[in-house]
């Protein structure tokens, strides 16, 4: 397990947290994925933290798996608008059609602070609590009806 992942796991162990399940990935970056879920408006959204030897730790939320948007162009335009609105987050649709929210937290091994990760999780929770209903309206094609 890489040093940053060890530090994050140590924080979880200290708090006796069972919110995450970790999985070591055998790759060149010694990646460790901590899997959990976020409860947003009664929905359990898959959430993971990807910690590796690189400078970057990724906090990823699957907002809508394999989204079948009523209007794909409107959805992509909306996600682009969200990217412009929020500095710390990237909303996007991947090749499988999943709608994702990524947050990248840069830190070297020496400067990595699990408390920063915890703080960003709280920011993500607040952000999604606000944005999730509108995202779903765009996916369902009812955003214009609500105006």
């Amino acid at each position: 397990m890489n040093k940053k992942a060890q530090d994050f796991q140590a924080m979880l162990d200290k708090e006796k947290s069972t919110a995450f399940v970790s999985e070591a990935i055998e790759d060149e970056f010694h990646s460790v994925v901590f899997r959990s879920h976020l409860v947003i408006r009664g929905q359990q959204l898959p959430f993971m933290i990807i910690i590796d030897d690189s400078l970057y730790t990724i906090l990823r939320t699957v907002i809508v798996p394999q989204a079948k948007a009523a209007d794909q162009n409107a959805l992509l335009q909306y996600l682009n608008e969200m990217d412009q609105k929020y500095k710390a987050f990237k909303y996007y649709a991947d090749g499988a059609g999943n709608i994702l929210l990524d947050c990248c937290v840069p830190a070297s091994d020496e400067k990595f602070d699990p408390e920063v990760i915890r703080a960003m999780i709280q920011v993500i929770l607040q952000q999604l609590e606000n944005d999730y209903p509108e995202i779903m309206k765009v996916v369902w094609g009812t955003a214009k009806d609500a105006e």
Side-chain angles (χ1 to χ4, degrees), residues 34-52:
F34 291 85
R35 298 181 193 280
S36 188
H37 65 273
L38 303 177
V39 178
I40 305 294
R41 305 275 176 140
Q43 300 298 312
Q44 291 191 9
L45 307 183
F47 176 73
M48 66 188 81
I49 301 171
I50 306 162
I51 304 176
D52 61 27

Side-chain angles (χ1 to χ4, degrees), residues 40 45 61-64 67 69-71 74-75 78-79 82 86 91-92 98-101 124 127-143:
I40 305 294
L45 307 183
T61 308
V62 180
I63 301 171
V64 183
D71 183 342
L75 173 61
Y78 178 75
L79 295 176
M82 296 294 280
Y86 301 114
Y91 286 87
Y92 65 101
N98 301 305
I99 299 173
L100 305 169
L101 168 65
I124 291 168
Q127 197 65 53
L128 284 173
E129 193 65 33
N130 291 331
D131 292 339
Y132 186 75
E134 189 62 30
I135 293 168
M136 294 313 299
K137 286 178 186 176
V138 174
V139 169
W140 295 328
T142 60

Side-chain angles (χ1 to χ4, degrees), residues 117-130:
I117 303 301
R118 181 202 315 269
M120 290 311 299
I121 293 169
Q122 292 305 311
V123 173
I124 291 168
L125 284 166
Q126 292 170 353
Q127 197 65 53
L128 284 173
E129 193 65 33
N130 291 331

Side-chain angles (χ1 to χ4, degrees), residues 4 7-9 11 112-119:
K4 291 185 287 187
D7 291 348
F8 187 74
Q9 184 64 57
M11 180 192 73
F112 180 78
D113 184 355
E115 293 299 327
V116 171
I117 303 301
R118 181 202 315 269

